[in-house]
Amino acid sequence: MATFSSLGMEERLVNVLKNNGINEPTPIQEKAIPSVLQKKDVIAQAQTGTGKTLAFLLPILSKINPDKQAIQALIVSPTRELALQITAELNKLTEALGNLNALAVYGGQDIQGQLKKLEKQAQVVVATPGRLLDHMRRETIDLSSISMFVLDEADQMLHMGFLPEVETIIEALPENRQTMLFSATMPKEVRQLAKNYMNDPEDIRVKAKQV
Ligand code: ADP
Ligand code: MG
């Protein structure tokens, strides 16, 4: 059976996970982590509650260069609640690792405060589409160093009508990047988006357990 160590996670990260009660990778983590580490584009589908967040956060953290003060990874999430949840998970990991900064960017929060934090240069940004587009239009966010992009809960993005915003965001990103899509279900519009913006993606799917 795979362990986080056998999947290539460094000891410090494995220890932080243990301290948070996370001892073994879930099936989607076991399948997705190696592909993300290999810089592949991935389309990952697994039910809600199966640990998709860590399936992308862990390999992303392993690949961030902590000495580079620029946004290297962008995670787009459909709601403020989800963005905050992802950022909280990320902060638990980065606090223990030190020297990495994560920032949540979402609507309903004072934009000036976000600007100040963006100036300090986070290496990972977790954003909702609307507020991220605001920053892009104001040119208050520098996307030019992004090499990893995650579209999280892609089916929810579709249902909330955010796919056009998501396309605008993707089109503004550097072409030389890794693109990852995580979703509980894979409606055809989501699959089409993946087809349009991904490079030979790996299809990863964890089937729902039979009950
Ligand atoms: P999803 O995005 O697939 O709906 P989440 O990433 O939000 O699921 O994870 C659901 C819950 O499972 C979270 O509380 C998370 O901390 C927990 N979790 C994630 N990975 C593991 C693991 N390997 N072992 C135990 N719990 C885990
Ligand atoms: Mg999720």
Side-chain angles (χ1 to χ4, degrees):
M1 219 184 53
T3 61
F4 285 112
S5 303
S6 75
L7 293 176
M9 297 297 100
E10 62 170 308
E11 178 124 14
R12 281 190 310 164
L13 209 45
V14 175
N15 287 332
V16 180
L17 291 171
K18 276 212 182 94
N19 293 338
N20 284 282
I22 293 174
N23 299 302
E24 285 166 11
T26 63
I28 190 68
Q29 290 163 3
E30 186 176 338
K31 287 189 178 179
I33 288 173
S35 299
V36 177
L37 285 176
Q38 285 168 39
K39 299 196 176 168
K40 289 189 177 150
D41 281 0
V42 303
I43 305 176
Q45 181 183 358
Q47 264 180 300
T48 300
T50 54
K52 293 192 289 298
T53 311
L54 287 176
F56 58 80
L57 285 186
L58 293 174
I60 284 177
L61 283 181
S62 307
K63 296 198 300 167
I64 294 273
N65 177 358
D67 299 324
K68 190 175 173 187
Q69 296 302 310
I71 304 168
Q72 297 164 57
L74 172 66
I75 298 155
V76 173
S77 158
T79 66
R80 160 169 47 170
E81 286 69 30
L82 279 170
L84 283 169
Q85 220 172 294
I86 295 167
T87 312
E89 267 191 76
L90 197 48
N91 282 335
K92 262 192 221 161
L93 302 171
T94 57
E95 269 165 28
L97 295 175
N99 65 3
L100 266 183
N101 289 311
L103 178 66
V105 166
Y106 50 85
Q109 185 196 32
D110 163 42
I111 200 157
Q112 294 306 329
Q114 274 173 3
L115 292 179
K116 288 229 165 60
K117 288 184 186 151
L118 278 171
E119 276 166 15
K120 282 197 233 151
Q121 286 291 14
Q123 283 122 329
V124 186
V125 166
V126 185
T128 53
R131 183 54 67 96
L132 178 59
L133 280 172
D134 265 2
H135 282 293
M136 288 164 59
R137 290 195 190 102
R138 292 168 183 232
E139 299 185 358
T140 48
I141 188 163
D142 178 5
L143 304 176
S144 66
S145 294
I146 290 174
S147 58
M148 296 173 266
F149 171 69
V150 176
L151 182 61
D152 192 29
E153 309 292 357
D155 53 356
Q156 285 195 50
M157 293 279 189
L158 166 72
H159 296 134
M160 294 173 74
F162 286 155
L163 288 195
E165 277 92 339
V166 168
E167 292 195 4
T168 307
I169 292 164
I170 298 179
E171 277 162 17
L173 297 177
E175 284 209 16
N176 190 6
R177 61 158 199 272
Q178 183 180 13
T179 305
M180 295 152 268
L181 187 154
F182 286 77
S183 198
T185 62
M186 213 50 78
K188 65 175 188 305
E189 294 89 340
V190 169
R191 191 157 283 284
Q192 187 61 43
L193 184 98
K195 219 174 172 180
N196 292 348
Y197 294 102
M198 287 180 148
N199 202 345
D200 192 18
E202 186 129 331
D203 245 303
I204 298 170
R205 187 167 170 192
V206 173
K207 291 223 175 79
K209 278 213 180 85
Q210 303 290 323
V211 277

